[in-house]
C-alpha cells in the first residue's frame, strides 16, 4: 500500500489501494437514495433495507478507519526514514571531504546494523549502486520489483530532493522504501553533475503486524456494531408488529362495541315494534271516536267561542297523537325499499325545493355542491328523499338565528357519500351516541323518531350513516355533518336500468 505524507508519493510496480472523497460521497448518496426508497415499502422490506443500509455504512466506516490507521503508520515510518537520511547527510557534511568515499560506505554499513533497517543504498540516476550496506552489491544495478532498475523504472520513481516512500519489493525483499536525491555537500562536484539517489529500506514486519492487529480490532468492532444495529432493527420490527396488533385489537374491539350497540338498538326497535303492534289498533279506534265527538261538539258552539276553540284543540291533539302512532308503526315495520341506480343530485334538488321557503323564513342559505358528473348510487329515490328531508328539517331547527345549510355529493373508495352540514347549535358529545335511538330528542317539540327513521332507511339500502358535530361556543358557531354512504351502482345495474327505461 502506497502512503503519502506532506511531500509526495510514487506508485511502484506493486499496486496501491487508495480511497477518495468523491467515492465516499457517491456511496453516501446511494445509501440515502436506498433509504428513501425503503421508506415507501412495507414494514418487512423497510427493515430489510435498513439492515442492508446499516451493513453498508458499517463496512464503509470500517474501510475508512482501516485506511486512516494504515496511513498514520505509514507516515510514521516515512518520517523515520526521512530523519535517518537527513542525519546521514549531516554526518557526511561534517566529515573530511577528502575521505568522503570511504566514510560513505562505512556509514552505510553502520546504519544498516540499526534495528528496523533492511538495507541502505546510494545509486546513480541510472540505478548503478555506488554505495550499499552490503559491499558485495557495489557496482551492480539496484533491484526493484524483482528486476533491475532501468531507465523506465527510475523515471517512474522520479526521485527529487523531496522524500518519497512506498511499499515495494526492493533488493529481494518486500520493504517500506524511503528515497530521494542524495546531496552529501561535496563542493568539488562539476556543474550539472547528476545527483545520486539514496534508498532506505525499512523492515515491514512491525507495520504488517500492527496493520493486522488493527484490522482485526476494527473488524471486531464493526461486527459488534452491526450485531447491535441488527438487534435494534429486530426489536423495532417486533415493536411495530406489537403496535399493529394492538391497533387491530382496538379496531376489533371498537367493531364489536358497534355491533353490540347495533344489536341493542335493534332489540329496542323490536320491543317498540311489539308494543306498537299490540296497542296501535286499540289506541287508534278510541282516537277516532274522540276526534269525531270533538268535531261534532265544536260545530255546535258558536264561531269564536272558547268552547269551540277547546274542541279544535282536542282535534289537533288527536291528529298529533295519531301521527305519533303512525311513525311508531312505520319504525317497527320492515322497510320496503327498492334500490336501483339513481342520481342523488335529483334527490337533493327535490328536497331543496321542499325546504326552500322554510329556509328563507329562518334566514338560512342553502348551498349545493356536487361534481359535474355525479356517479349513480344504488338507492330508492323516494325513501332516500324522506331521509334527506328529515336531516334538512333537523338542520333548520338547529339554526334559529340563520346560517348555512350545505348539501354535498362526493365519491370515495367505490361509494357515494351524501353529506348534510349546518353551522347551527351543534350536538353535545354526550348526546351523540343516542341520537339514532327512538324517542331521543333535544327539542322541546318532536317525537324523537326522525333520526331513527333515517338510520333505518339508510340501513335498508346497505349503507352507513355517521355524524360529526362541534357544539357552538360563545366565540364561534357550531357545526354538524351527517354523512350517508351508499353503494355505487355497478355498470351492469346501470345497463339494466337503461334497458328497462
Amino acid at each position: 500500500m502506497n502512503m503519502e505524507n506532506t511531500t509526495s508519493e510514487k506508485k511502484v510496480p506493486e499496486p496501491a489501494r487508495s480511497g477518495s472523497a468523491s467515492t465516499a460521497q457517491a456511496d453516501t448518496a446511494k445509501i440515502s437514495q436506498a433509504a428513501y426508497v425503503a421508506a415507501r415499502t412495507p414494514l418487512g422490506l423497510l427493515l430489510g433495507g435498513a439492515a442492508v443500509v446499516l451493513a453498508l455504512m458499517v463496512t464503509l466506516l470500517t474501510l475508512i478507519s482501516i485506511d486512516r490507521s494504515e496511513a498514520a503508520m505509514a507516515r510514521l515510518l516515512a518520517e523515520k526514514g526521512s530523519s535517518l537520511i537527513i542525519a546521514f547527510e549531516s554526518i557526511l557534511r561534517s566529515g573530511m571531504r577528502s575521505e568522503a568515499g570511504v566514510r560513505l560506505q562505512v556509514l552505510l554499513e553502520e546504519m544498516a546494523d540499526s534495528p528496523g533497517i533492511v538495507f541502505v543504498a546510494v545509486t546513480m540516476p541510472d540505478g548503478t549502486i555506488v554505495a550499499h550496506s552490503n559491499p558485495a552489491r557495489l557496482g551492480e544495478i539496484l533491484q526493484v520489483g524483482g528486476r533491475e532498475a532501468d531507465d523506465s523504472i527510475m523515471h517512474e520513481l522520479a526521485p527529487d530532493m523531496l522524500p518519497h516512500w512506498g511499499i515495494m519489493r526492493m533488493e529481494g525483499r518486500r520493504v517500506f522504501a524511503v528515497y530521494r536525491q542524495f546531496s552529501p555537500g561535496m563542493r568539488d562536484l562539476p556543474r550539472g553533475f547528476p545527483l545520486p539517489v539514496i534508498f532506505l529500506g525499512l523492515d515491514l514486519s512491525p507495520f504488517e503486524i500492527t496493520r493486522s492487529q488493527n484490522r482485526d480490532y476494527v473488524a471486531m468492532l464493526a461486527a459488534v456494531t452491526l450485531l447491535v444495529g441488527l438487534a435494534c432493527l429486530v426489536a423495532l420490527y417486533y415493536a411495530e408488529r406489537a403496535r399493529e396488533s394492538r391497533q387491530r385489537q382496538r379496531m376489533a374491539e371498537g367493531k364489536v362495541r358497534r355491533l353490540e350497540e347495533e344489536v341493542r338498538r335493534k332489540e329496542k326497535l323490536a320491543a317498540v315494534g311489539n308494543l306498537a303492534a299490540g296497542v296501535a289498533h286499540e289506541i287508534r279506534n278510541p282516537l277516532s271516536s274522540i276526534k269525531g265527538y270533538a268535531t261534532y261538539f265544536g260545530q255546535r258552539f258558536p264561531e269564536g267561542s272558547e268552547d269551540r276553540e277547546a274542541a279544535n284543540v282536542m282535534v289537533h291533539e288527536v291528529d298529533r297523537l295519531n301521527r305519533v302512532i303512525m311513525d311508531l308503526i312505520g319504525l317497527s315495520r320492515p322497510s320496503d325499499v327498492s334500490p336501483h341506480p339513481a342520481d342523488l343530485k335529483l334527490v337533493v334538488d327535490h328536497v331543496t325545493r321542499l325546504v326552500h321557503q322554510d329556509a328563507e323564513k329562518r334566514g338560512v342559505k342553502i348551498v349545493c355542491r356536487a361534481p359535474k358528473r355525479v356517479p349513480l348510487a344504488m338507492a330508492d329515490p323516494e325513501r332516500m328523499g324522506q331521509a334527506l328531508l328529515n336531516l334538512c328539517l333537523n338542520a333548520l331547527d338547529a339554526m334559529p338565528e340563520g346560517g348555512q345549510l350545505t348539501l354535498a355529493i362526493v365519491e370515495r373508495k367505490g361509494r357515494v357519500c351524501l353529506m348534510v352540514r349546518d353551522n347551527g347549535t351543534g350536538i353535545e358529545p354526550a348526546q351523540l351516541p343516542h341520537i339514532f335511538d327512538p324517542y331521543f330528542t333535544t327539542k322541546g317539540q318532536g317525537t324523537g323518531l326522525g333520526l331513527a327513521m333515517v338510520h333505518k332507511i339508510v340501513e335498508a339500502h346497505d349503507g352507513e350513516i355517521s355524524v360529526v358535530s362541534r357544539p357552538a361556543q360563545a366565540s364561534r358557531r357550531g357545526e354538524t355533518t351527517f354523512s350517508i354512504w351508499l353503494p355505487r351502482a355497478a355498470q351492469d345495474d346501470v345497463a339494466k336500468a337503461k334497458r328497462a327505461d
Side-chain angles (χ1 to χ4, degrees):
M1 178 181 292
N2 293 344
M3 303 297 176
E4 182 176 349
N5 67 352
T6 55
T7 56
S8 63
E9 172 189 0
K10 298 299 179 183
K11 294 184 179 179
V12 293
E14 181 174 334
R17 183 177 67 226
S18 60
S20 64
S22 60
T23 304
Q25 292 175 356
D27 291 340
T28 305
K30 291 179 181 179
I31 292 173
S32 300
Q33 184 179 4
Y36 174 77
V37 174
R40 294 178 174 268
T41 58
L43 179 61
L45 293 179
L46 173 64
L47 295 180
V52 173
V53 171
L54 177 63
L56 291 176
M57 292 182 64
V58 170
T59 302
L60 178 62
L61 295 176
T62 301
L63 294 177
I64 292 175
S65 177
I66 292 175
D67 188 69
R68 287 180 178 177
S69 62
E70 292 180 357
M73 289 187 292
R75 282 195 298 269
L76 291 176
L77 288 177
E79 290 172 0
K80 175 182 177 181
S82 180
S83 300
L84 290 174
I85 292 175
I86 294 173
F88 185 70
E89 287 181 337
S90 299
I91 293 174
L92 286 178
R93 289 170 184 168
S94 63
M96 296 296 293
R97 299 188 183 279
S98 59
E99 301 177 0
V102 177
R103 292 178 57 82
L104 176 60
Q105 180 63 34
V106 173
L107 286 175
L108 288 179
E109 294 177 3
E110 291 180 352
M111 183 181 291
D113 293 335
S114 301
I117 298 178
V118 178
F119 72 89
V120 183
V122 179
T123 70
M124 296 306 292
D126 60 356
T128 303
I129 299 175
V130 297
H132 199 287
S133 55
N134 182 9
R137 295 283 292 151
L138 291 175
E140 297 180 359
I141 303 300
L142 186 69
Q143 295 287 325
V144 180
R147 60 192 180 96
E148 293 182 350
D150 53 15
D151 291 338
S152 62
I153 293 179
M154 295 301 292
H155 179 73
E156 186 178 355
L157 293 176
D160 52 26
M161 292 305 296
L162 296 175
H164 304 276
W165 65 84
I167 300 175
M168 63 188 76
R169 189 169 186 81
M170 186 174 289
E171 291 297 290
R173 290 188 57 179
R174 191 166 180 268
V175 296
F176 187 92
V178 183
Y179 61 94
R180 71 175 178 84
Q181 288 181 338
F182 182 59
S183 177
M186 299 177 63
R187 297 180 181 179
D188 54 352
L189 288 175
R191 183 183 297 274
F193 186 82
L195 292 177
V197 181
I198 182 170
F199 290 88
L200 178 62
L202 300 177
D203 187 9
L204 199 59
S205 300
F207 176 83
E208 291 181 339
I209 293 174
T210 305
R211 180 172 62 179
S212 177
Q213 293 176 349
N214 183 65
R215 286 183 176 180
D216 293 341
Y217 172 74
V218 173
M220 181 181 66
L221 184 62
V224 172
T225 304
L226 183 61
L227 289 176
V228 172
L230 292 177
C232 292
L233 289 177
V234 171
L236 178 62
Y237 172 76
Y238 283 106
E240 184 67 17
R241 290 288 299 273
R243 187 188 67 82
E244 292 180 354
S245 177
R246 290 193 298 270
Q247 185 176 5
R248 288 194 296 268
Q249 182 179 359
R250 287 194 295 268
M251 293 176 61
E253 292 175 352
K255 188 174 182 179
V256 169
R257 284 194 296 269
R258 288 193 298 270
L259 291 176
E260 291 176 349
E261 293 175 358
E262 186 68 17
V263 169
R264 285 194 295 268
R265 193 185 68 83
K266 289 184 177 181
E267 290 176 350
K268 185 181 296 185
L269 289 178
V272 172
N274 293 332
L275 176 63
V279 302
H281 179 72
E282 299 298 330
I283 294 179
R284 293 183 65 183
N285 288 337
L287 285 179
S288 299
S289 300
I290 294 174
K291 181 179 179 181
Y293 279 108
T295 303
Y296 170 75
F297 286 116
Q299 293 175 353
R300 293 179 63 86
F301 297 117
E303 185 74 26
S305 64
E306 293 183 0
D307 294 332
R308 186 160 185 164
E309 291 296 327
N312 290 335
V313 170
M314 292 176 62
V315 172
H316 291 316
E317 289 300 315
V318 168
D319 289 339
R320 187 178 68 83
L321 186 57
N322 190 53
R323 286 195 299 271
V324 171
I325 295 174
M326 292 298 297
D327 291 339
L328 182 60
I329 295 175
L331 183 64
S332 60
R333 185 182 300 162
S335 297
D336 49 344
V337 298
S338 55
H340 59 272
D343 188 351
L344 293 182
K345 192 172 186 306
L346 299 178
V347 178
V348 172
D349 293 340
H350 175 68
V351 172
T352 52
R353 285 193 296 268
L354 294 178
V355 300
H356 178 70
Q357 292 185 354
D358 194 9
E360 282 188 348
K361 292 179 181 179
R362 298 170 184 258
V364 176
K365 178 182 178 182
I366 300 178
V367 178
C368 297
R369 295 174 181 173
K372 293 182 179 180
R373 298 185 61 182
V374 179
L376 300 181
M378 295 299 295
D380 185 335
E382 182 178 352
R383 300 305 302 276
M384 190 53 58
Q386 179 184 353
L388 183 60
L389 179 61
N390 281 337
L391 293 178
C392 290
L393 293 177
N394 285 345
L396 294 178
D397 291 338
M399 295 182 287
E401 298 179 359
Q404 179 172 302
L405 173 62
T406 303
L407 303 178
I409 303 174
V410 296
E411 179 191 7
R412 292 177 185 171
K413 298 181 179 180
R415 296 194 298 176
V416 182
C417 180
L418 178 60
M419 291 189 295
V420 180
R421 178 180 300 165
D422 68 78
N423 56 353
T425 56
I427 304 174
E428 294 295 332
Q431 298 174 351
L432 280 175
H434 307 288
I435 59 174
F436 296 113
D437 293 343
Y439 298 107
F440 179 84
T441 180
T442 58
K443 295 183 291 186
Q445 296 179 351
T447 61
L449 296 175
L451 289 179
M453 287 296 299
V454 171
H455 188 280
K456 184 177 181 180
I457 292 173
V458 174
E459 189 180 56
H461 284 80
D462 291 330
E464 296 179 5
I465 183 171
S466 61
V467 58
V468 177
S469 183
R470 183 189 67 214
Q473 297 180 358
S475 59
R476 65 178 182 182
R477 300 176 66 93
E479 183 177 277
T480 302
T481 302
F482 283 87
S483 300
I484 298 176
W485 295 90
L486 297 174
R488 179 176 176 176
Q491 295 297 332
D492 296 341
D493 296 328
V494 175
K496 291 179 182 178
K498 290 182 178 179
R499 287 195 298 268
D501 293 340

